[in-house]
C-alpha cells in the first residue's frame, strides 16, 4: 500500500472490509506510564475498541518501519526498552533512515493513521502550549498537526501542565473544531473542568459523526477534538493534582529541561508525587476515550 507502512493482518483485513478502525498512540506506552501498567493499559485499550465493534490499530515505529497494528512482541519492546525514541512529526524521516524504534505522539500517530486511511484516534491528552511559552517557545507539534491532518482525536482535554487558555486560542486560530462530549467544559485530563468552556457541546455519537463527516466532505483541512471528560468517579481532587503539577513544573525548570523531554518528565513526576493515584485516573480516562472513539468510528461507517 505504501512503501514505509507495515499494516498488521488484523488491521489490513478491517481496511479491506471497510470496517471501523480506531488508531491508538504509543508514546503513552513508552514514555507516559511505567512498566508493567503501560502494557496492561495498551492491551486493555485494544480490547475495549474490539468490544465496541471496531478494530484497534496501535501505531509505532519498529526498526524504521511505520507499524499500524502491533503484535505482542512489538508492544512488549515498546513498553520495556529504554531505547525507544519519542517520535513527533519532525523525527519520522530520521527514525526511518536509521532503522530505529520509536513511539508515536499524537502528532505522528495522526500522520501515520491518515496515511493508512484511519479517521478516528483515541489518546489520553493532547500536547499544547506550555506555561511560559512566551519565553520558551514550547508549543507541542500536536497542535500544528490538528490544524493540518484530517483525523478525529478523542481525548480528555489536556493537562494543566499546559497553558490551557493559550492552547485553545491556538486551536481557534487554526480552525480546529473542538466539541465537548456531554459537557460544556473543556476538561483538564484529571479533572472534568479546566475553567474554560467549549463553544459546542454534543450529547450523541451520531451528532459527533455528522460533524466530522461534514468536515471531511468539505475537505476542510485539519482534525477535530472530541473532548471527553474523565468519568466523575475517577476524577482527582483539584487541589491535589494542581499542587503536584506546580511542583513538577518547578522541578523541570530547575533542571533546565527543554524540548521533547519536558512532557515525559512532567508526566513521570506527577505520577510519583501523587503516589500512583494519578496513574489510576489516567488509565480510566484513556479507557473511556477508547470507548467513545470506537463508537464514533462505527457510527461514521454507518453514515455512508
Ligand atoms: N499529555 C499527556 N499524556 C501523554 C502525552 C501528553 O497527558 O502521554 C504525550 C502524547 O503522546 C503527546 C505528547 O502527543 O506527549 C506531547 O509531547 P510534546 O509536548 O513534547 O509535544
Ligand atoms: Mn514541547
Amino acid at each position: 500500500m505504501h512503501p514505509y507502512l507495515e499494516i498488521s493482518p488484523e488491521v489490513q483485513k478491517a481496511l479491506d472490509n471497510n470496517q471501523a478502525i480506531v488508531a491508538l498512540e504509543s508514546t503513552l506506552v513508552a514514555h507516559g506510564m511505567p512498566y508493567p501498567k503501560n502494557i496492561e493499559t495498551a492491551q486493555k485499550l485494544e480490547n475495549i475498541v474490539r468490544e465496541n465493534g471496531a478494530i484497534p490499530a496501535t501505531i509505532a515505529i519498529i526498526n524504521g518501519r511505520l507499524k499500524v497494528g502491533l503484535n505482542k512482541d512489538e508492544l512488549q519492546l515498546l513498553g520495556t526498552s529504554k531505547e525507544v525514541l519519542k517520535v513527533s512529526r519532525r523525527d519520522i524521516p530520521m527514525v526511518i533512515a536509521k532503522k530505529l524504534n520509536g513511539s508515536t505522539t499524537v502528532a505522528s500517530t495522526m500522520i501515520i493513521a491518515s496515511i493508512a486511511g484511519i479517521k478516528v484516534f483515541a489518546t489520553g491528552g493532547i500536547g499544547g502550549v506550555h506555561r511560559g511559552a512566551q519565553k520558551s517557545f514550547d508549543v507541542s507539534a500536536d497542535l500544528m498537526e490538528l490544524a493540518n491532518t484530517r483525523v478525529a482525536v478523542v481525548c480528555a482535554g489536556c493537562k494543566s501542565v499546559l497553558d490551557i487558555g493559550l492552547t485553545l486560542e491556538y486551536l481557534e486560530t487554526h480552525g480546529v473544531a473542538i466539541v465537548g462530549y456531554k459537557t460544556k467544559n473543556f476538561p483538564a485530563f484529571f479533572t472534568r473542568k479546566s475553567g474554560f468552556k467549549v463553544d459546542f457541546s454534543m450529547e450523541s455519537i451520531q451528532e459527533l459523526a455528522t460533524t466530522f463527516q461534514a468536515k471531511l466532505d468539505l475537505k476542510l483541512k485539519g482534525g477535530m477534538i472530541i473532548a471527553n471528560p474523565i468519568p466523575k468517579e475517577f476524577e482527582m481532587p483539584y487541589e491535589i493534582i494542581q499542587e503536584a503539577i506546580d511542583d513538577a513544573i518547578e522541578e523541570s525548570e530547575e533542571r533546565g529541561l527543554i524540548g521533547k523531554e519536558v512532557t515525559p518528565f512532567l508526566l513521570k513526576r506527577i505520577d510519583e508525587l501523587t503516589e500512583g493515584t494519578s496513574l489510576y485516573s489516567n488509565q480510566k480516562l484513556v479507557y473511556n476515550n477508547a470507548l467513545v472513539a470506537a463508537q464514533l468510528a462505527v457510527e461514521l461507517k454507518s453514515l455512508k
Side-chain angles (χ1 to χ4, degrees), residues 21 23 113-114 117-121 150-153 212 216 296 300-301 304:
I21 306 176
S114 163
I118 300 171
K119 302 265 184 295
V120 180
F121 164 30
R150 281 186 199 94
V151 172
V153 180
F212 188 56
L216 295 176
L296 176 61
L300 272 169
K301 290 293 177 191
K304 289 187 196 162

Side-chain angles (χ1 to χ4, degrees), residues 13-210:
K13 195 171 149 222
L15 285 167
D16 294 343
N17 296 335
N18 197 28
Q19 270 178 284
I21 306 176
V22 172
L24 299 164
E25 65 143 307
S26 47
T27 291
L28 77 91
V29 183
H31 300 283
M33 289 181 185
Y35 178 80
K37 286 264 161 71
N38 56 352
I39 307 246
E40 174 195 310
T41 307
Q43 284 168 338
K44 174 111 197 224
L45 284 172
E46 295 200 349
N47 290 338
I48 292 170
V49 171
R50 285 195 193 94
E51 283 157 15
N52 288 280
I55 298 296
T58 305
I59 291 178
I61 306 183
I62 306 283
N63 212 357
R65 305 282 297 154
L66 309 185
K67 294 271 182 178
V68 182
L70 301 180
N71 64 34
K72 266 210 162 86
D73 294 341
E74 290 162 343
L75 191 60
Q76 192 68 23
L77 173 81
L78 283 175
T80 53
S81 164
K82 295 270 171 280
E83 325 261 273
V84 177
L85 294 177
K86 175 181 159 191
V87 177
S88 194
R89 168 180 273 271
R90 165 190 78 169
D91 313 294
I92 295 174
M94 285 80 80
V95 172
I96 290 175
K98 288 184 173 291
K99 298 192 167 49
L100 300 174
N101 298 322
S103 67
T104 51
T105 62
V106 168
S108 52
T109 305
M110 287 177 77
I111 294 169
I112 297 170
S114 163
I115 297 172
I118 300 171
K119 302 265 184 295
V120 180
F121 164 30
T123 183
I126 55 168
V129 180
H130 280 256
R131 296 194 205 165
Q134 51 275 56
K135 270 201 174 162
S136 68
F137 266 50
D138 192 349
V139 178
S140 174
D142 290 355
L143 298 187
M144 275 56 99
E145 213 53 57
L146 282 158
N148 284 298
T149 304
R150 281 186 199 94
V151 172
V153 180
V154 182
C155 65
C158 61
K159 289 202 173 95
S160 57
V161 296
L162 302 171
D163 187 320
I164 297 182
L166 291 188
T167 301
L168 292 173
E169 289 292 351
Y170 186 99
L171 292 168
E172 181 191 5
T173 302
H174 292 272
V176 179
I178 305 179
V179 176
Y181 181 52
K182 297 186 177 170
T183 183
K184 292 188 167 54
N185 297 297
F186 187 76
F189 202 84
F190 298 116
T191 53
R192 295 175 59 83
K193 290 184 183 174
S194 62
F196 294 88
K197 301 272 176 205
V198 287
D199 288 316
F200 291 93
S201 158
M202 289 178 185
E203 295 294 318
S204 75
I205 297 289
Q206 200 258 338
E207 204 176 4
L208 291 178
T210 309

